[in-house]
């Protein structure tokens, strides 16, 4: 899987999809609001369906917009019907630590066959329990963890080892990228997927020394074209 794009912007998704370097898309209400998506669920549904069609069969994560227990069930079932490649995102708990969420995750995964991405997680232990509950994806917000003064790499290694030991199906998504370097370092630490801010992909591709090298090739190709004719003439005359 490796790289997902953390965006709701159609043009960015098209750009990197055509390059063949992304395998999924993740969104959340904050990302969609930044994209100018308003109008509640109707606005989210319209954009979601467009993205889901564009990236099919790759997965698209779409978050519920409530933390009410029944509301999460209702929205998750509704969102999952919008397209077959949708994964529903649910936070690990509510804003005050309310604990309905993992029960909702467990029931949706095991009784309703809906793929769930548990999000807003800051530690391996949160992700481990979300994986135990049956989540298909567990999202660890690496940049936010690092901003608290811890290095998320230790959590990634620990989590991957637990998932492998106990043969849990969850895929680890590292989100909240802050630097280009995060993509490779988090994958190497054991993340199955890093969901990347679009501009970081350009940063991974473009290198100043590659630019200089490409310029050298182009300059020499142009010089070779200029010299090509006199050399051919000389060869004909047997002088070269
Ligand atoms: O998917 C969660 C991610 O988008 C959060 O990123 O940059 O707000 O920490 P950030």
């Amino acid at each position: 899987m490796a790289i997902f794009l953390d965006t709701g912007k159609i043009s960015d998704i098209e750009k990197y999809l055509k390059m063949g370097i992304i395998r999924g898309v993740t969104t959340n209400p904050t990302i969609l609001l930044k994209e100018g998506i308003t109008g509640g669920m109707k606005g989210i549904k319209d954009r979601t369906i467009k993205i889901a069609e564009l990236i099919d069969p790759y997965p698209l994560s779409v978050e519920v917009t409530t933390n009410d227990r029944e509301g999460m069930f209702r929205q998750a079932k509704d969102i999952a019907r919008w397209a077959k490649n949708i994964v529903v995102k649910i936070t690990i708990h509510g804003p005050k630590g309310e604990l309905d969420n993992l029960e909702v995750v467990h029931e949706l995964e095991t009784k309703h066959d809906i793929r769930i991405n548990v999000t807003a997680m800051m530690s391996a232990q949160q992700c481990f329990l979300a994986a135990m509950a049956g989540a298909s994806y567990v999202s660890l917000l690496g940049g936010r963890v690092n901003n608290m003064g811890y290095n998320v790499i230790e959590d990634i290694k620990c989590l991957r080892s637990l998932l492998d030991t106990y043969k849990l199906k969850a895929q680890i998504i590292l989100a909240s990228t802050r630097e280009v370097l995060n993509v490779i370092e988090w994958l190497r630490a054991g993340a199955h997927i890093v969901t990347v801010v679009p501009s970081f992909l350009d940063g991974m591709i473009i290198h100043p020394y590659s630019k200089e090298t490409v310029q050298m090739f182009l300059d020499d190709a142009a010089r070779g074209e200029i010299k090509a004719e006199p050399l051919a003439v000389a060869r004909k005359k047997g002088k070269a």
Side-chain angles (χ1 to χ4, degrees):
M1 293 293 237
I3 294 177
F4 286 5
L5 210 55
D6 203 21
T7 188
K9 193 170 181 179
I10 299 283
S11 58
D12 278 339
I13 297 167
E14 280 173 337
K15 173 179 167 185
Y16 297 107
L17 202 58
K18 280 182 193 162
M19 290 187 199
I21 60 177
I22 59 166
R23 297 288 184 276
V25 171
T26 50
T27 64
N28 60 41
T30 308
I31 284 173
L32 294 177
L33 187 65
K34 274 190 203 145
E35 265 309 293
I37 308 292
T38 52
M41 267 300 171
K42 167 83 175 78
I44 293 173
K45 183 176 180 180
D46 291 348
R47 179 60 61 98
T48 295
I49 289 172
K50 268 191 203 143
I51 298 173
E53 270 177 19
L54 184 63
I55 68 170
D56 181 60
Y58 297 138
L60 166 63
S61 286
V62 182
E63 194 162 327
V64 296
T65 60
T66 176
N67 208 79
D68 165 70
R69 186 181 179 282
E70 294 314 313
M72 286 190 278
F73 273 124
R74 199 176 46 251
Q75 280 193 0
K77 289 177 193 166
D78 190 29
I79 291 169
R81 277 194 289 266
W82 295 346
K84 63 181 186 308
N85 51 337
I86 284 180
V87 175
V88 179
K89 254 177 154 179
I90 292 182
T91 56
I92 179 69
H93 55 62
K96 296 193 172 87
E98 299 92 329
L99 290 176
D100 294 320
N101 304 33
L102 286 183
E103 181 191 331
V104 174
V105 169
H106 183 62
E107 191 166 327
L108 289 169
E109 279 273 1
T110 58
K111 295 192 184 145
H112 299 275
D113 198 29
I114 291 174
R115 303 286 72 78
I116 304 293
N117 174 355
V118 178
T119 191
M121 293 192 284
M122 309 293 162
S123 70
Q125 64 187 6
Q126 287 179 309
C127 294
F128 179 53
L129 292 185
M132 290 289 291
S136 294
Y137 298 93
V138 289
S139 287
L140 183 56
L141 273 54
R144 290 187 184 231
V145 174
N146 287 355
N147 279 347
M148 289 187 292
Y150 310 103
N151 191 340
V152 75
I153 284 181
E154 288 312 310
D155 277 281
I156 300 171
K157 286 182 188 165
C158 166
L159 177 60
R160 181 60 183 264
S161 151
L162 287 168
L163 297 189
D164 290 349
T165 301
Y166 295 103
K167 297 186 173 32
L168 294 167
K169 71 172 183 186
Q171 301 255 299
I172 305 167
I173 301 182
L174 255 287
S176 183
T177 45
R178 292 284 182 272
E179 298 171 302
V180 170
L181 170 69
N182 294 153
V183 180
I184 296 299
E185 68 177 359
W186 292 348
L187 287 172
R188 286 196 66 202
H192 296 94
I193 298 149
V194 176
T195 189
V196 188
V197 176
S199 61
F200 287 1
L201 289 180
D202 290 352
M204 288 175 78
I205 297 168
I206 300 166
H207 191 291
Y209 198 24
S210 297
K211 283 187 183 174
E212 191 184 315
T213 304
V214 172
Q215 194 58 58
M216 178 190 77
F217 291 153
L218 292 174
D219 290 347
D220 287 343
R223 284 192 199 103
E225 271 169 33
I226 294 162
K227 287 177 185 162
E229 203 171 323
L231 188 65
V233 172
R235 278 205 176 115
K236 220 174 188 178
K237 291 177 182 168
K239 289 180 187 168

